[in-house]
Each structure stands twice: as C-alpha cells, then as structure tokens.
Amino acid sequence: MPALLVPVFAALVLVVGLPGAVLLARRGREAPGWGLLAVEGLLLGLGWYLLAGLVLAHAGALGRAQLLTATVPLAATLWWAVRHDVRALGLPRLTPLGVAMAGVLVLAVALRGDPVYFLYQTADFGEYVNRANVLAGGGPFIRWFLHLFSVCLALSTVVAGQAGTVAILPFLGLVLLVVVVGLVRRLGLGSPAQLAAAGLVALGPVPVWFSQFPASESLYAVLQVAVLYLTLAALQRSGFATAAAAGAFAGLCMLTRGNALLLAGLIGLAVVAAAVLARPRDLRVAGVLAAVAAVAMYGGFAYNARYSDAYFLHFQLPRFLPGPLYAPVSHLDRALPALAGMILIAAVAAAVVASTRWLARRSPQVGPRTALLLERGSLGALVAGGVVALGSFTDASGLWEALGRFDPVLLILAGAGLAVLLAQGLGPLDGPRRVTVVFAVSTAVAFAVLFAHRIGPPREAPYHLYWERYLYSELYPVLVLLAGWAVAAAGSLLARTVVATRGGLRLAAGCAVALASVGAGLQLWGGGALAREHTLLDGAYEQVRAIDRLAGERAAPIVFTGVPLDELPPHRLHPNTFRLFAYPLFETFGREVLNIHDLHPADPDPVLDPVEVVGWLRAGGYEEGVVVAVAARPDRPWPGPGGGGELSVEHRGRVEVTIPVLARRVGRPQAWRVLVFWVDVLHASLTDAPVTGPPPAGPAPSR
C-alpha cells in the first residue's frame, strides 16, 4: 500500500507546486525544463501542505474537505496564471537519462515498501505517530515536541486513513532523492553524476531506513537540502522570489528541529561568500535570501517558544545556548516580547536587503591575488576549521563510528569528491556554484562538529541507526553531492584518456557497469541486508487495533494492568508496557484509560487486582468497563487463581503481540530480537457487594 501511495502523494503535491515552480522560473527569466520544474514543484507543493496543515491542525479542522477547500482555489489560480508558459514548454521529452532515472525511482520505491508504524510510545517517534492520529481526529498539539513532523504524518492520515499514517515516509525519501539529483544537475556535474547520486540515495541502507522510519530527520533532510537547491536556483536565475522561497524553507526547518538554529549562521556565511566570490547581482539575491530566512526562522523560533515551550524553550535551548544568549529569548513564549522581537528582526532584515543592494551597486572588487587566494583557499579553510574543532574535543570517535555505518561506496566517493574540490578550488566555478558549494561544505562541517560535540564516544541505543539520523538529515545530502563531484571528475578524466583511444568506449562502459553492479551489491546485500530481515515493530498498528476491537464500544472505559518490572523481558523496549498499549489506545484509538494519567513515562506498570479495578471504576463513576491485562508469559491470565472477587469479568479474547526489535550495538554484533506479550481483554462489571479499594483518582489526561 505505501508504494502505491507514492504517486498519489506526488500528484497531490505537484498539482499545486508545479505551477508555482513555473511561475518562479518565469519571474527569474529561466526556462529550466520539466525535470527541474518537477523538482521545484515537489518542494513548493510540500511546503504548501505543511503550512496549510499546521494552520488547520491548530483550528482542529485538519481534514480532506478543509485541505481541498484551501488548495483547489490556489492551484486553479496558479495554473491559470501560467497557462501560456505551460503551453510554451510543450510536452516532456523522453530521454535515455529520463528512462534510467525512472528505473532508479521504481527500484527506490520497491525498497521502501515497509514503513515503520511506530505506534508504541516508547520514544519520540511514537509520540509523532500518535500525535498525528490525534491531530487528524481534530485533537490538540502538546508542548513537549516540535509540531511540523506530526503535521506531516497527520497529512498522510488524512489522505490514506489511520492505517496509512506513516505511508508518506517513502514519498519523503523519494523527494530527497529527486532534489539531490536536481542539485547535482544544477551544479553542472553531468548525467553520470546524476545517475550515481540517484543510485546512492535509492539503494543506500541509511536513506532506505530513514525513508521508512518516522524520525523528524526524515522530513528535515528534505527541507534542508531544499534550502540548498533553491539557493542555487535563485542565484542562477537571479530570482528574488526563488530566494524568498529558500528563506521560507529555512523557516520550515526551524519548525521541524531546533538544530536549524545553525542555519542562521550558515546563511550569513553564504551572503559573505556571495560578496567576495560572486557577481554583484548574486549578492542582492543572497541578501533577499538572508532577509526572508531571518524573518521566517524567527517566526518558527517564536512559534516553538510559544507552542512547544516545555521542550524547545525550557529543555532544548538551555542546552544549546550559553546563559547570556538564552536570557533574551527565554520570554518569547509571551506575546509582547515575541512581537517586539519580530519588529526587531524585520528591521534587521530590511537593513540586510538595503546594505546588500548598496554593496552590489558599488561592485566591490578584490585584487587578483586576493581573489585567487579566496578561490583556492576558501574550502580548505572551512575543512581545516572543522578538523581543528573536532580535534578540540576529548573524544570525537562517535562521529567516525557513526559514519562507518554508512555504505562504503558513498564514503569513498565523497572523500574523493572533497579531494577534487580542494585540489581545483572554486576558480573553475561560476558565482552561483561557488556560493552553493561554500554553503554546502560549511553546512556539513558545522553539523559534523555539532554531532561530535553532542555524541562524544560511540553509544548504543534501543533502535538501529538511532544516532545516525542526525547525520542523515544534515550531512548525508552533502556527502552525496561530493560523491557526484568525484563521479564527474572521473568521467571527465575518462573522456580525455580512455574513451579517446580505440575501443576505449566499450572499456569505459564495461567498467561503469561493473562498478555499478558492485555498488548495488554492496548496497543491497551489504549494510542493508540485516535491516531487511524483519520490519521494525512489524504489525504494531494491526495488533493494537485488534485489542481496541475486542474492547468493544468506545464509551466503555479501560482499566489497564501490566507486567511487574521483574517479569519484563531482559531486552525490553521500555521499563513498562502501558506506553506500548495503553497510550496508543488512548491517543490513536480515542479510548478513555482511567489509570495512566498520573504515571511518569518511565514508571513501572500498574499491576492491579480486582479490588483495585473496582476502585478505579467507581472513582470514575462507572458501573462497568474493560480491563486490558498484559502478561509476559502465556500462563499468567488475569485476574489469576483467586478469580474476580467483587468484580464480574467476562473474557473477550487474547491478542498475542510480537514486536521485532533491532537495537544499535557498539563492538558486538547486531541481531533482531522478537519480544512477545499476551494481552487479555475482559469485560468487567461491578457486583452489588460493597468494595473497599484505593481509588487513586486524578485529573483526566489531555490528548
């Protein structure tokens, strides 16, 4: 089903994004062709749905009718505005490169057919999925997580139903592939580099995993590479509207992950690069990018501070920012300080636009020696700075260990591409490509240093590639670009030497096929083989839905009783089971669970006897309800040998829940483990006999 939904998501996104891309190209006086227009259409359409979904979710009205009401008039208006441009473009032409790319895309979709329905609320991934289901049902946000990724998943729920909440993940992986290939094309690296980039993203074990795993980094990777792509497109077409779109995507990055704070400094560095390495008009375009990014990123920052304050403002920012920098932003959850900040940022943005226009008119020229030094040494200085920063840490081995989990073909090609760039410098490139390369390399260096600072030595984790998600979203796309550079350099060398000789074309083609086959083998049967043995948490949604169906009418309250801590499996996901079963029943399936509201996520399970169940029912004012009882062994039925006592119980059924898990191990082999729990569902009703039991009542939890 998820594979079949990829073209559905693509059509929905392109119907509003493609005419927007044509309009941006027209304003920049560029005719890029249908291929690049499709890349930009995917990005613009995705950006529209994310923003519209966020607004509708806040209104409690995220549904198909509301999305169509917002989208159809916009799409119709845009198509009408570009009707003459579309007619002038004509029909797309079929090319050998296009056919090859289509084949790679089909293979990529086939490898991404089992997205992980992370229903268990044992990590932030489970919160994203359950919250998406709540939002699609008209429920509220919470303040402990950033919101945009849950909105993205909720859009998938709106399109594909609750069973399809994670169906959008393969589509995000395909968008990443297409945008990276488009970036390689705009950099002028040629068809072999485009195919190589497509193959690396399509077959790589890491991108395949994160095209199925519901981490916010799966969305952030697309948004961050969108900023790079649109920056290059804006510089190449001298398009101020495209630069504004790139800045807007920087704001979407901020709404997705707090690490986007680093983008502000990196965009500033891109402006400096435009001033000293490019044309005066490029500086004006970069000024618009920086101004819009400042406003959009501040808007995202203030939104997070207001609506995700528990996580972003009071937990994450104090770890990122030193005290003197944190103090001025610590009150942005209040309206007046946030408004004052927006006025200040808008003034700064206007000043940036004005100053870059003024500098562009003056056309500052550096001397030939200085220009040569900048062209030859800029990238080397960036890389050297990163090496020095990494060397300043006590232990940065976690970075190298994590990179070692990426496929070796990518790492070898990326290293070769970086060597080529450092050797040739920026001199052979035009202004837009110089700025983009500086932007990309500085992004990779900055986030690699941040990763090393955050992780330190290698760490284990309960989920495969848990720490690598940060590298996937921030470093991986740049590694693919560098790999494309290596392939382009190799192709150029072959064209000048081997191909020019007799029989050289056949030899070169044979070598290319052999290398592609070896690379595909390493991708498919190397690092990705272990991940394909099972699907992580396979059947989670179907199994919890079976529990929900056994519970019967929605109005019946649930009392949950779980597993004593000493009976949990040694390789458990969590120190309890109420996060596996009770919270999904409460959030995704809308059940009232009486006895979980006052539990900390790491607390042990409530283990109740019939008297305590009666206490909970009476405390809630109920005469009957449902008991959901979890056991770690099949021979432990509830209520046990003593029977129900004051409680009349009727056994409705049992669900055997199997949970395939692949943990991240360091220095020892990884292997799949399958956890098994037995969940009994019983109808419970009170008898007339008086009951004395502790009814630990409390406020009803909020979905």
Side-chain angles (χ1 to χ4, degrees), residues 87-422:
R87 191 177 299 116
L89 281 166
L91 295 174
R93 290 182 299 172
L94 194 63
T95 64
L97 178 61
V99 173
M101 283 293 178
V104 172
L105 287 173
V106 170
L107 179 59
V109 171
L111 290 173
R112 290 158 168 80
D114 294 309
V116 177
Y117 205 122
F118 207 118
L119 192 65
Y120 307 127
Q121 211 152 353
T122 58
D124 48 356
F125 322 113
E127 171 55 39
Y128 291 132
V129 171
N130 281 282
R131 186 57 41 186
N133 291 329
V134 170
L135 296 176
F141 289 103
I142 61 170
R143 298 180 178 276
W144 187 246
F145 288 89
L146 301 188
H147 294 165
L148 199 62
F149 185 56
S150 288
V151 169
C152 180
L153 296 178
L155 291 168
S156 184
T157 309
V158 169
V159 172
Q162 193 177 81
T165 298
V166 295
I168 199 171
L169 293 172
F171 171 69
L172 293 178
L174 268 292
V175 174
L176 179 71
L177 185 157
V178 168
V179 178
V180 168
V181 171
L183 190 52
V184 170
R185 181 174 176 179
R186 279 197 173 273
L187 286 168
L189 297 181
S191 297
Q194 293 176 54
L195 282 172
L200 288 169
V201 181
L203 302 174
V206 173
V208 167
W209 180 264
F210 287 109
S211 297
Q212 302 177 102
F213 190 78
S216 61
E217 289 78 10
S218 299
L219 174 61
Y220 188 87
V222 175
L223 299 177
Q224 183 160 290
V225 80
V227 176
L228 274 175
Y229 176 91
L230 291 171
T231 297
L232 178 57
L235 292 168
Q236 288 181 331
R237 64 176 57 142
S238 297
F240 298 115
T242 308
F249 270 87
L252 292 177
C253 288
M254 179 60 72
L255 287 169
T256 307
R257 295 192 64 230
N259 286 3
L261 279 170
L262 276 180
L263 273 180
L266 297 170
I267 290 172
L269 182 60
V271 175
V272 174
V276 299
L277 293 170
R279 307 164 300 178
R281 182 147 180 106
D282 295 333
L283 177 58
R284 292 181 59 191
V285 172
V288 172
L289 161 66
V292 175
V295 173
M297 293 183 74
Y298 176 81
F301 188 101
Y303 173 93
N304 292 340
R306 173 66 181 87
Y307 295 105
S308 304
D309 55 315
Y311 173 74
F312 183 72
L313 193 61
H314 302 306
F315 175 76
Q316 190 176 44
L317 284 184
R319 300 185 176 200
F320 268 109
L321 300 177
L325 293 179
Y326 176 69
V329 301
S330 61
H331 303 294
L332 289 182
D333 55 335
R334 299 202 295 254
L336 284 179
L339 178 60
M342 179 58 79
I343 293 172
L344 176 62
I345 291 295
V348 170
V352 167
V353 172
S355 61
T356 51
R357 287 174 64 91
W358 179 78
L359 283 172
R361 282 198 302 269
R362 293 194 59 177
S363 300
Q365 297 292 328
V366 297
R369 290 188 177 182
T370 304
L372 182 62
L373 180 63
L374 290 170
E375 293 169 4
R376 302 288 296 181
S378 298
L379 291 180
L382 285 173
V383 174
V387 171
V388 170
L390 290 173
S392 68
F393 299 135
T394 304
D395 189 352
S397 58
L399 171 64
W400 312 119
E401 190 269 347
L403 282 173
R405 295 177 186 250
F406 285 71
D407 57 274
V409 175
L410 170 68
L411 297 176
I412 293 169
L413 289 176
L418 181 60
V420 169
L421 267 175
L422 292 175

Side-chain angles (χ1 to χ4, degrees), residues 72-82:
V72 170
L74 175 63
T77 302
L78 288 173
W79 280 109
W80 177 260
V82 300

Side-chain angles (χ1 to χ4, degrees), residues 596-615:
I596 62 172
H597 59 274
D598 56 350
L599 295 176
H600 185 276
D603 280 348
D605 275 335
V607 181
L608 308 182
D609 59 27
V611 172
E612 292 169 305
V613 171
V614 169

Side-chain angles (χ1 to χ4, degrees), residues 482-506:
L482 293 174
W485 222 284
V487 171
S492 177
L493 180 63
L494 284 172
R496 293 197 305 268
T497 55
V498 177
V499 177
T501 64
R502 186 175 180 179
L505 185 58
R506 293 181 181 178

Side-chain angles (χ1 to χ4, degrees), residues 13 41 43 47 59 68 81 111 140 241 251 256 260 333 390 424 432 440 471 511 532 632 645 690:
V13 166
L43 293 177
L68 288 173
L111 290 173
T256 307
D333 55 335
L390 290 173
Q424 73 180 23
L471 296 178
C511 290
R532 289 193 303 277

